[in-house]
Amino acid sequence: EENGRTVVTGCKTEIEMEAYTDTSDWKAVDTGLYTFSIPPEWEATAFSDGSVSFAKSGEALGSLKRMSYDSSLPFSQFEGSPAQTLIREETLDGCKYPATKVWIRRTQSSAVAANDVFYVYKHHIYLIPENSKFAYDLFLDSPLVNQEPDEIAKSVVINTNRVQIQDMANQWGKAVQNRDGKAQYNLMSSELQKRVYEDYQNRNWVTGQSSPWVDGYTVKPGDNTAVVTYTYITSTGFAGYYLQTLSFVTENGQLTISDYTEPKQANGQSGGTVLAYLDDGKTWLSAAMLHEGMFSDMTLSIDGKTKRFPWKTYGEPAFLPEFSNADVDGDGRNELIVILCESEGTGALVE
């Protein structure tokens, strides 16, 4: 009080305004492997390899991905060639894991002049949990990005259990694709090994079958399980998506596979070939016939409700049907869009 009125006697700067970012309206994102917060107008897309891409209004902003890390080596192990670290800030405060901000100047050759070069400056934040063999690289590079990278990095939580499950499920998927029974056996718990030993030995440690064969796979990890989706192929082309569930248990400090189901079509039925699916098979499209490279006589199922359509689509794996969601009629609710490929030619598709 001074002369009957309240006055300010001092002040202290808590945070510099240029370093402040209002995150009160940011949205939370859970990819299964990571949780983090991003601005409301941003989009985050998670991929089967565990990486995440960031975009705003269709413009790519950057990514979050995992890389192998050797604590005995400098941060230049991440840079590749030709590149060099210009500035390194040892610690980004407020993160849940030790974090380092790195600015890299990358040399690139000009597409116009053969001997001309130019420099690209890139900003990375490396999150490295204690005693981890992996670093998590948050890279955001766009004029639209200001202080957002720091705040996103501070919000990142890594589900290390699911990361381990995804790694082991990927090893399993590769072994199944290669029909390598020994590699599968080495991933199993001791109890599961006892159950399958005689069968695997009788097969001479060659699993699966010659046709249809596994052409590729994706992995979706859970807390103690993972779903592996296999793409089956025959000599005549695509043969469907098949899902297999793996169960995991820790044994003597090591994660192991304790059980697995036999692969089943994405729609859980034996009839027809599943060409596309969403929501772990709750929505699917199948075809009953394959003739001269064209699938036909299709069934669409959404949450258990099915309907048949006289649709046709090209049977090559590269041109399989796609699902998309959009508000087509403007009623505020998304409709399911089914994209079919009726034919293809040099530089053109008919959808």
Side-chain angles (χ1 to χ4, degrees):
E1 295 287 337
E2 185 179 89
N3 297 326
R5 62 191 183 93
T6 303
V7 297
V8 176
T9 59
C11 65
K12 181 177 70 172
T13 300
E14 296 291 343
I15 183 170
E16 297 293 342
M17 286 300 296
E18 63 269 22
Y20 174 74
T21 300
D22 183 8
T23 62
S24 60
D25 64 343
W26 281 26
K27 60 184 179 183
V29 177
D30 185 349
T31 70
L33 297 182
Y34 317 106
T35 58
F36 49 81
S37 297
I38 56 176
E41 66 274 14
W42 284 29
E43 299 172 353
T45 304
F47 298 95
S48 58
D49 64 357
S51 64
V52 179
S53 68
F54 301 100
K56 177 182 178 182
S57 301
E59 179 179 348
L61 300 178
S63 61
L64 173 64
K65 63 180 182 180
R66 185 180 59 150
M67 304 181 298
S68 296
Y69 169 66
D70 185 341
S71 59
S72 67
L73 298 177
F75 282 100
S76 57
Q77 65 186 283
F78 302 134
E79 295 161 20
S81 180
Q84 67 180 57
T85 300
L86 295 183
I87 304 171
R88 188 176 79 206
E89 185 174 321
E90 291 294 338
T91 302
L92 173 61
D93 293 332
C95 295
K96 297 172 180 63
Y97 314 94
T100 302
K101 299 170 66 174
V102 176
W103 283 262
I104 297 174
R105 186 183 73 177
R106 192 173 299 277
T107 305
Q108 295 187 355
S109 299
S110 171
V112 179
N115 296 322
D116 194 14
V117 298
F118 63 96
Y119 300 111
V120 177
Y121 294 85
K122 296 185 179 292
H123 175 208
H124 295 256
I125 298 177
Y126 299 124
L127 301 165
I128 308 176
E130 295 287 351
N131 303 316
S132 175
K133 295 182 180 179
F134 298 99
Y136 298 83
D137 176 16
L138 177 63
F139 164 61
L140 292 167
D141 181 31
S142 169
L144 299 176
V145 175
N146 296 306
Q147 290 299 125
E148 288 92 343
D150 290 6
E151 299 306 319
I152 294 173
K154 293 174 185 178
S155 71
V156 170
V157 176
I158 303 166
N159 191 324
T160 54
N161 179 60
R162 288 194 177 186
V163 169
Q164 290 178 326
I165 285 176
Q166 183 186 52
D167 286 346
M168 182 160 287
N170 274 311
Q171 294 177 53
W172 176 271
K174 182 178 180 180
V176 170
Q177 183 176 11
N178 294 334
R179 303 183 64 191
D180 187 346
K182 289 185 177 179
Q184 291 175 254
Y185 185 83
N186 289 336
L187 298 173
M188 299 177 188
S189 66
S190 57
E191 180 61 33
L192 183 56
Q193 286 178 339
K194 293 177 183 178
R195 285 161 43 193
V196 306
Y197 180 81
E198 184 176 353
D199 179 42
Y200 276 42
Q201 187 179 48
N202 291 337
R203 297 185 186 195
N204 292 320
W205 301 94
V206 178
T207 56
Q209 62 277 329
S210 58
S211 183
W213 63 87
V214 175
D215 185 64
Y217 61 90
T218 60
V219 169
K220 183 178 180 180
D223 290 330
N224 294 300
T225 61
V227 176
V228 185
T229 302
Y230 301 104
T231 303
Y232 278 28
I233 297 289
T234 68
S235 58
T236 59
F238 177 74
Y241 294 111
Y242 284 72
L243 277 60
Q244 180 181 50
T245 300
L246 308 178
S247 300
F248 296 83
V249 66
T250 300
E251 188 175 87
N252 298 323
Q254 297 293 323
L255 189 68
T256 63
I257 295 173
S258 59
D259 202 3
Y260 60 88
T261 63
E262 291 301 318
K264 293 183 179 180
Q265 279 219 64
N267 64 351
Q269 299 179 11
S270 58
T273 299
V274 176
L275 305 179
Y277 71 96
L278 287 174
D279 303 325
D280 295 333
K282 293 179 181 178
T283 299
W284 51 264
L285 176 71
S286 71
M289 296 182 62
L290 174 61
H291 178 65
E292 295 183 350
M294 296 291 290
F295 283 110
S296 62
D297 191 7
M298 297 192 186
T299 299
L300 178 65
S301 177
I302 303 176
D303 291 330
K305 299 179 180 179
T306 62
K307 185 175 181 179
R308 296 181 69 175
F309 294 90
W311 296 339
K312 294 183 179 181
T313 192
Y314 203 48
E316 287 294 322
F319 307 116
L320 291 174
E322 296 180 5
F323 284 153
S324 180
N325 289 297
D327 183 7
V328 178
D329 56 11
D331 65 352
R333 297 181 299 175
N334 282 341
E335 283 75 44
L336 177 68
I337 300 172
V338 181
I339 303 174
L340 308 175
C341 180
E342 295 185 347
S343 63
E344 59 89 20
T346 304
L349 292 177
V350 179
E351 295 183 336

